Amino acid sequence: EIVLTQSPGTLSLSPGERATLSCRASQSVSSSYLAWYQQKPGQAPRLLIYGASSRATGIPDRFSGSGSGTDFTLTISRLEPEDFAVYYCQQYGSSPPVYTFGQGTKLEIK
Amino acid sequence: QVQLQESGPGLVKPSETLSLTCAVSGYSISSGYSWGWIRQPPGKGLEWIANINHSGSTSYNPSLKSRVTISVDTSKNQFSLKLSSVTAADTAVYYCARCNWNYRHFDFWGQGTLVTVSS
């Protein structure tokens, strides 16, 4: 079973700064099956990125995803106040058919 | 707009069976996609539980497989989760979500329902 490890656990930045979040897989992941979510307190997760680099509907272009194989990155180019939240990566592996989430990165205001 | 709404008891006794239903509106389950359950213990991360597609094909988290059953009722446009022999470790917010079949991500989510396991 593939394990996703996100780093850092907590990232402290100021509005306007650039955020870089990492998601590392224990074995190679299909880029088609790598997604990123944002979750704010008391809310359901919100899809940001799918297929490693495609933005979901309505997601601002300051959010971008990249990577392949075992290393994937979510970048927020210029942080807005509403971007401070917890971010999760998620992958799908077909043998066996399992969906796995990373443990999350908390992006907090510095 | 696709909307999902979880329903079920908020309190379940240890050793009993947790039963939840997800009502889908704005999209017909029988039209396609896959449908899943994900949970989140208080203060912790997300854990996938199970998926089912419109034809009833299922996949389960291996760590929960022996206790989980997912089913679909296309006539009511809803799908359900049963988790047996619950313990306090099963206390969590349970989310239902639609899963994109091509890219295997969850694009629409319910608001979540907190289920507490306690006597």
Side-chain angles (χ1 to χ4, degrees), chain B residues 14-84:
Chain B
S15 80
E16 295 189 344
T17 296
L18 177 161
S19 296
L20 295 173
T21 296
C22 181
V24 179
S25 59
Y27 188 85
S28 173
I29 284 181
S30 46
S31 295
Y33 283 88
S34 176
W35 305 86
W37 289 96
I38 299 102
R39 70 180 182 179
Q40 185 171 37
K44 297 188 177 180
L46 301 165
E47 180 182 36
W48 171 71
I49 303 171
N51 267 33
I52 190 166
N53 69 12
H54 62 286
S55 62
S57 178
T58 59
S59 54
Y60 294 101
N61 185 322
S63 69
L64 298 169
K65 185 174 183 177
S66 63
R67 298 193 292 131
V68 174
T69 302
I70 188 171
S71 60
V72 64
D73 186 339
T74 54
S75 67
K76 294 182 178 179
N77 214 40
Q78 63 186 35
F79 60 105
S80 299
L81 174 75
K82 291 187 186 298
L83 178 65
S84 64

Side-chain angles (χ1 to χ4, degrees), chain A residues 21-86:
Chain A
L21 287 67
S22 172
C23 177
R24 180 161 293 176
S26 57
Q27 53 188 284
S28 186
V29 171
S30 168
S31 295
S32 295
Y33 299 153
L34 194 288
W36 290 91
Y37 302 85
Q38 175 193 68
Q39 187 179 34
K40 296 180 180 179
Q43 296 184 16
R46 172 195 182 195
L47 176 68
L48 297 175
I49 301 288
Y50 66 92
S53 60
S54 297
R55 272 188 302 278
T57 302
I59 302 302
D61 60 7
R62 64 179 182 273
F63 290 91
S64 63
S66 63
S68 63
T70 60
D71 291 304
F72 297 88
T73 300
L74 174 69
T75 301
I76 311 171
S77 59
R78 291 177 310 280
L79 286 166
E80 297 287 343
E82 62 268 26
D83 298 336
F84 292 92
V86 179

